[in-house]
Amino acid sequence: MKQVLKLLSLLVLTGTTSVSWSNALSLEDILATTPELRSDLPSPTTATGVAVGERHWYHHEIVDYLDTLAAASPRMVALGSHANSYGGRSLVSYAISSESNIAKLQDIKAARAKIIDPASGLEATKQPAVMHMMYSIHGNEPSGSNASPLVAYYLNASLDPAITAQLEDVVIIFNPMLNPDGLDRFAHWTNSHRGQVPSPDANDREHREYVPNGRTNYYWFDLNRDWLPHQHPESRGRLALFHTWKPNVQLDFHEQGSNSNFFFMPGKPERTNPLTPPINQKLTAKIGEYHARAFDREGVLYFSEEGYDDFFMGKGSTYPDLFGCVGILFEQPSSRGSQQDVISGRLTFPDTITNQFRASLSSLEATAALKDELLAYQQTFYQDSASQGDSGYYLAAANGDPTRLREFVRILEGHGIVTEALRQDTEVEGNTYVAGSTIAIPLNQLQSTYLKTLWNRQLEFEENVFYDVSTWTLPWAFNLQHTREPVTRVKTTAITQDFLALSSTLAASNIGYLIDWRDSASPSLLYGLLEAGANVRVAQRPFTASIIEQGRIDFGYGSLLVTPRLNDSIPVSALALLKNAADSGLPVYPVASSHTVQGIDLGSRDFHVLQMPKVLIATGAGTSAYDVGEIWHLLDRRVQMPITMVDTHQLPRINLADYTHVILTNPLTQSPDQLTNNLSTFVSNGGVLWAQGAATIDWLSDENLTIVNWRTTEASSASKKASAAIAQGDTEAFEALLPQRQPYATARDEAAFKLVRGVILEGQIDATHPLGYGFTDEVLPMFRRSANFMARSENAYSTPVLYSATPLLSGYMSAENQALASGSASLIVDARGKGAVVLALDAVTFRAFWWGTQKLLLNALFFGELLEEPR
């Protein structure tokens, strides 16, 4: 093995000379010089014509090679596709092990379920360990995926007795790329902007991707934050693979800043999730010893136990920690292309591949050596969980929105969490949970640990600095009515396939059809109806209507009414949409009479005729791909509504009058005055401008396109007073207002303490406001990642979402920020001329799983004409 790594080092030296890049010596050519390899297996170059490290490989090249290798080697078998990306690329995996293990792979697979079953009696240590090797979930961190052909080739071709012995003890589930769309986006970028003699200058175009870059998936999401909600097909397939094989070790190969050194777990000890067993961290440290020896042998600098953490349980290296598995994160300094000059010298793409290769082999060595300990830990993890005696059920319901509750159930089931249906009405703390529309989740089940982290509310932390979010309470993300503590003595039944999706045959009506806006599927239906030319109205007051064959039904603010136009009938295509919706279980009701039992009649002027929205969103330079992608995904996938994405440098030339809405997720600080004038005219003439985030709102305020009043910290107020004092020559007052002297070493953490990295705050929503239509409870949990706080509107009716007096529901927030948040505004409508500017301080579509607040944006899009400021 040492000889192999020395040979790999030779490639690195070759890559740093003035030799033309296209003529650089290939990794597998170097490997072929060692007698420890079989000569009858296809190397990457012979199979594809492209050497590893010669350029960035594309998805199809990696898959084609690995399929070829699997067909030729008795140590490797293709497991097939476990998902298809939005871009149509297949996500595949392979098993790599000894010939004997491959021959009995199905038996090994069947035994995995028995290992975690406390009642099975299986002697786990007689089984091989399973290691899940996952490469490049971030597409522009490509050294992992580009190392995978080399790793697979070496593991299959090696005749080294140590390797063959390790493969007897370990079955590798080999996952060569987790984000094929992002990987290909980046490969295309760097391969298209690289010269024959690539520039190592960090400012070169090859190293400076455009927005969106290759990190994200098709819709510009960070897939390494999607393990918990698994909203995307790549994640759903990955979870299914994980729970099928139940690995003992999971490897997550990443890249980091180019001027860093290699990182491997453990992370920072103080930032370990409290549900992670101590033995998990001990095994992580033991595995780290193998990495340390491997890197020390080659003189490669590395670090551990700092920077990264094991707190947020929704990443590839942390998720497995609550399933009796050990997750390991690797972070390789990135060349971000062919080669780049960094503070330590010249970093080449083959350098980065070499270290990922090295870490892959040291992981195999560690897993084989620690096999019995890892298997014992996995088995004990579930035995301990079963012996804790957890009992009772968490209850959850989504009043009027079965689509949202079904999605919540899907997420739980993706983690192996069993859910049941409530069979008898149950009252808890003054709330009634209705049988048939409430789920009951037993605590006494195999995956109770992960259930606990999904339900967890945490306000106290050992350390108040976070690599990612500080909370992720799932029932609050979905705005569910739920019990915070488990409830006993409830009656349940199994959930069926048609749970909350009872189809109905839509009866014909001469009057029209009502649609319950509370359901999360209703916006998609509404857009389809408007596109089909239907006459759709929205109710601005509640009422009770007579429904054919069903009697009286109550309808709230935002309910939709589909009626024929004068002297016409409902379009055939629109009627087909309504019938299909009813057949799918959506809340569509045939009206028996225009006269209502209570409230406004169906012919009331309080029904407003809706127009089809046409939405533009600013993209490209200066925007956040994450924020734009979340909105694009919501409208494209869930609402099935087109959205026009225009790059910021093109915006001044766009006729905004062609659109009903403009969405800005970032300030347009480089834009000319003409764009500001265009936006002002757009709003004055009736357009709706959705401004998301503090920086966007502040920029609009600076451009006199809106008015915002920010709450300020004591330090900020003192700084302004100090500046005023010195300007007036009052030195004594100036010095009295200066902050206390602090140790320099504490500056970074002190700054972090003031941040809001991800908390859940209690919002109070006005359900009578057009932006509040479809919400049934005054309390609305909001996800907050900003330390800026708005005062409420000067107009008493124009703050549809306000934070409560004690808003912190879960997560870390300094006492000062909590005070600033108290009673502040999350959402303000600033009506201007015939239109309005919506000041949305929080991301209501956060990571596609904050289903509880996404309707705020949809209401702004469909009911924008109603956004007035009553005087």
Side-chain angles (χ1 to χ4, degrees):
M1 187 65 251
K2 188 173 182 180
Q3 179 185 9
V4 172
L5 291 174
K6 283 185 176 179
L7 289 168
L8 286 171
S9 298
L10 175 60
L11 171 67
V12 174
L13 294 174
T14 305
T16 58
T17 68
S18 59
V19 175
S20 169
W21 187 259
S22 61
N23 294 325
L25 193 58
S26 72
L27 285 141
E28 65 268 18
D29 286 343
I30 293 173
L31 285 175
T33 64
T34 173
E36 297 177 342
L37 296 175
R38 291 174 52 173
S39 60
D40 60 335
L41 293 180
S43 73
T45 297
T46 58
T48 66
V50 182
V52 173
E54 179 182 345
R55 62 161 170 78
H56 288 68
W57 282 34
Y58 294 95
H59 160 264
H60 71 274
E61 294 172 321
I62 295 173
V63 173
D64 287 348
Y65 171 66
L66 293 175
D67 282 346
T68 299
L69 181 62
S73 174
R75 293 184 188 174
M76 183 175 179
V77 63
L79 299 177
S81 172
H82 54 268
N84 283 297
S85 71
Y86 290 119
R89 296 173 176 87
S90 180
L91 285 90
V92 297
S93 60
Y94 305 83
I96 300 175
S97 192
S98 66
E99 293 183 34
S100 61
N101 283 338
I102 293 296
K104 58 182 179 182
L105 191 62
Q106 292 306 312
D107 292 337
I108 293 172
K109 179 180 175 181
R112 301 307 297 171
K114 295 180 180 178
I115 290 176
I116 70 170
D117 181 1
S120 72
L122 181 75
E123 193 171 347
T125 54
K126 290 187 176 180
Q127 295 290 319
V130 172
M131 179 169 66
H132 188 196
M133 302 178 88
M134 310 185 307
Y135 295 94
S136 299
I137 197 166
H138 296 143
N140 65 353
E141 299 175 7
S143 58
S145 287
N146 279 263
S148 66
L150 182 69
V151 174
Y153 174 57
Y154 183 74
L155 293 177
N156 281 277
S158 177
L159 299 174
D160 184 346
I163 295 294
T164 56
Q166 290 162 14
L167 292 176
E168 284 289 346
D169 287 332
V170 180
V171 171
I172 297 169
I173 302 303
F174 198 72
N175 209 331
M177 75 201 78
L178 305 185
N179 179 10
D181 292 345
L183 186 80
D184 274 8
R185 187 186 304 137
F186 180 70
H188 177 72
W189 177 271
T190 183
N191 290 338
S192 299
H193 296 101
R194 175 194 68 155
Q196 182 177 355
V197 181
S199 172
D201 190 333
N203 294 314
D204 184 72
R205 184 172 173 83
E206 182 188 1
H207 310 303
R208 301 287 184 180
E209 295 170 84
Y210 197 67
V211 178
N213 60 32
R215 177 183 177 90
T216 55
N217 77 340
Y218 189 94
Y219 284 99
W220 310 349
F221 282 79
D222 184 339
L223 289 176
N224 201 37
R225 304 299 186 271
D226 194 43
W227 284 82
L228 186 155
H230 54 102
Q231 294 294 293
H232 305 289
E234 302 94 332
S235 305
R236 296 178 189 182
R238 188 173 64 246
L239 280 186
L241 187 71
F242 175 90
H243 287 289
T244 294
W245 286 98
K246 301 171 178 57
N248 301 99
V249 176
Q250 178 157 288
L251 310 179
D252 195 13
F253 291 86
H254 287 256
E255 291 182 1
Q256 56 181 326
S258 302
N259 288 308
S260 300
N261 292 303
F262 197 88
F263 170 86
F264 53 80
M265 287 292 194
K268 193 164 186 181
E270 299 86 352
R271 301 210 298 259
T272 301
N273 190 281
L275 289 174
T276 302
I279 185 62
N280 174 286
Q281 294 297 287
K282 291 179 181 177
L283 287 168
T284 302
K286 284 188 174 184
I287 293 172
E289 294 172 6
Y290 288 82
H291 305 318
R293 286 195 290 270
F295 282 79
D296 283 342
R297 278 196 299 266
E298 306 303 322
V300 178
L301 293 177
Y302 58 84
F303 67 100
S304 194
E305 297 188 286
E306 62 177 275
Y308 301 94
D309 64 39
D310 281 316
F311 184 75
F312 171 49
M313 307 313 291
K315 300 182 295 181
S317 58
T318 57
Y319 179 81
D321 291 347
L322 298 190
F323 292 91
C325 177
V326 177
I328 303 292
L329 170 67
F330 297 113
E331 292 280 355
Q332 161 63 40
S334 180
S335 64
R336 280 294 187 273
S338 306
Q339 54 184 355
Q340 188 174 155
D341 286 338
V342 297
I343 57 176
S344 301
R346 181 161 296 175
L347 179 65
T348 70
F349 188 38
D351 284 342
T352 65
I353 292 172
T354 300
N355 279 341
Q356 305 287 33
F357 180 91
R358 179 179 288 117
S360 298
L361 296 190
S362 60
S363 298
L364 173 60
E365 181 185 8
T367 302
L370 300 171
K371 176 183 84 76
D372 289 352
E373 290 183 64
L374 290 164
L375 286 163
Y377 159 58
Q378 185 178 42
Q379 196 166 46
T380 302
F381 176 89
Y382 285 98
Q383 290 172 348
D384 290 347
S385 178
S387 66
Q388 288 179 3
D390 292 327
S391 61
Y393 296 80
Y394 289 128
L395 303 182
N399 187 19
D401 192 355
T403 298
R404 180 158 39 104
L405 189 58
R406 284 197 303 273
E407 172 62 15
F408 186 78
V409 171
R410 186 198 64 78
I411 291 175
L412 296 180
E413 291 178 343
H415 300 301
I417 295 172
V418 176
T419 58
E420 299 171 2
L422 191 66
R423 188 158 53 90
Q424 186 178 69
D425 289 0
T426 302
E427 186 165 323
V428 182
E429 296 180 349
N431 294 315
T432 299
Y433 293 86
V434 180
S437 60
T438 299
I439 60 170
I441 312 158
L443 263 72
N444 183 17
Q445 60 172 295
L446 271 178
Q447 308 303 354
S448 60
T449 306
Y450 204 73
L451 171 60
K452 290 174 183 176
T453 199
L454 295 179
W455 227 263
N456 185 48
R457 178 195 192 197
Q458 188 167 352
L459 296 172
E460 300 294 332
F461 302 86
E462 184 175 350
E463 183 172 301
N464 298 326
V465 179
F466 303 90
Y467 182 75
D468 199 80
V469 298
S470 66
T471 186
W472 48 89
T473 314
L474 197 63
W476 274 328
F478 274 69
N479 188 27
L480 299 181
Q481 175 185 320
H482 67 281
T483 59
R484 292 302 311 145
E485 299 299 327
V487 178
T488 58
R489 295 187 296 277
V490 299
K491 296 181 178 180
T492 66
T493 186
I495 285 183
T496 59
Q497 285 286 79
D498 60 353
F499 177 66
L500 294 178
L502 298 177
S503 64
S504 62
T505 300
L506 190 64
S509 169
N510 292 327
I511 309 299
Y513 302 88
L514 286 164
I515 301 170
D516 192 335
W517 185 246
R518 293 177 299 173
D519 195 287
S520 291
S522 293
S524 178
L525 177 58
L526 171 57
Y527 187 81
L529 291 168
L530 293 174
E531 192 175 37
N535 182 34
V536 186
R537 304 163 188 256
V538 59
Q540 300 178 77
R541 295 287 187 273
F543 58 94
T544 302
S546 298
I547 303 302
I548 296 174
E549 298 177 355
Q550 298 181 55
R552 301 177 178 183
I553 294 181
D554 294 332
F555 291 88
Y557 293 92
S559 298
L560 305 177
L561 173 63
V562 185
T563 61
R565 296 184 187 276
L566 290 175
N567 302 315
D568 201 351
S569 58
I570 296 175
V572 174
S573 57
L575 196 57
L577 286 173
L578 291 169
K579 290 179 178 179
N580 289 337
D583 188 59
S584 300
L586 268 64
V588 180
Y589 303 93
V591 177
S593 172
S594 291
H595 177 69
T596 62
V597 179
Q598 186 175 346
I600 58 173
D601 288 329
L602 300 191
S604 168
R605 286 190 291 266
D606 279 324
F607 274 95
H608 179 84
V609 178
L610 298 175
Q611 304 300 318
M612 187 166 70
K614 187 176 182 182
V615 182
L616 180 151
I617 188 169
T619 59
T623 66
S624 164
Y626 295 146
D627 294 337
V628 173
E630 288 168 3
I631 294 172
W632 178 28
H633 175 267
L634 170 68
L635 298 184
D636 192 49
R637 304 299 298 195
R638 294 181 186 163
V639 185
Q640 297 180 301
M641 168 182 172
I643 180 171
T644 301
M645 297 187 286
V646 177
D647 284 354
T648 52
H649 70 278
Q650 298 282 3
L651 272 177
R653 295 189 286 272
I654 299 297
N655 181 9
L656 298 182
D658 292 338
Y659 303 91
T660 61
H661 295 73
V662 171
I663 298 176
L664 301 181
T665 60
N666 297 87
L668 304 176
T669 53
Q670 303 300 316
S671 299
D673 292 340
Q674 180 60 43
L675 177 58
T676 303
N677 295 333
N678 291 350
L679 288 171
S680 178
T681 302
F682 167 76
V683 174
S684 295
N685 289 341
V688 174
L689 175 59
W690 175 276
Q692 183 168 298
T696 309
I697 294 170
D698 205 37
W699 175 76
L700 289 176
S701 177
D702 290 343
E703 298 295 322
N704 296 315
L705 292 172
T706 192
I707 297 174
V708 62
N709 295 303
W710 297 109
R711 294 184 173 186
T712 58
T713 63
E714 291 184 9
S716 177
S717 298
S719 177
K720 290 179 180 178
K721 291 178 182 177
S723 298
I726 199 66
Q728 296 171 5
D730 190 343
T731 305
E732 183 176 348
F734 169 74
E735 292 199 5
L737 290 165
L738 292 178
Q740 293 294 317
R741 176 175 174 266
Q742 302 291 339
Y744 177 81
T746 66
R748 185 185 301 174
D749 284 351
E750 285 298 322
F753 294 154
K754 300 173 185 177
L755 297 176
V756 179
R757 291 300 303 270
V759 300
I760 304 172
L761 300 183
E762 182 181 78
Q764 295 176 333
I765 187 166
D766 177 4
T768 72
H769 191 283
L771 292 187
Y773 286 178
F775 291 92
T776 58
D777 192 348
E778 181 186 11
V779 173
L780 180 63
M782 304 290 294
F783 194 80
R784 163 55 70 104
R785 299 195 79 181
S786 170
N788 299 84
F789 303 93
M790 297 189 298
R792 65 181 184 271
S793 171
E794 295 177 2
N795 186 292
Y797 308 100
S798 295
T799 308
V801 181
L802 189 75
Y803 288 124
S804 67
T806 53
L808 184 60
L809 291 175
S810 186
Y812 169 73
M813 199 179 200
S814 69
E816 183 177 45
N817 281 334
Q818 290 185 54
L820 290 171
S822 175
S824 69
S826 170
L827 200 67
I828 290 176
V829 174
D830 180 11
R832 293 179 165 248
K834 296 179 181 179
V837 180
V838 181
L839 311 183
L841 195 51
D842 301 314
V844 298
T845 57
F846 180 68
R847 291 181 182 171
F849 83 98
W850 217 262
W851 278 61
T853 55
Q854 65 185 18
K855 189 168 284 174
L856 293 170
L857 173 59
L858 298 177
N859 284 347
L861 299 185
F862 285 112
F863 310 140
E865 295 177 12
L866 302 179
L867 299 182
E868 303 172 347
E869 282 188 346
R871 301 293 178 180

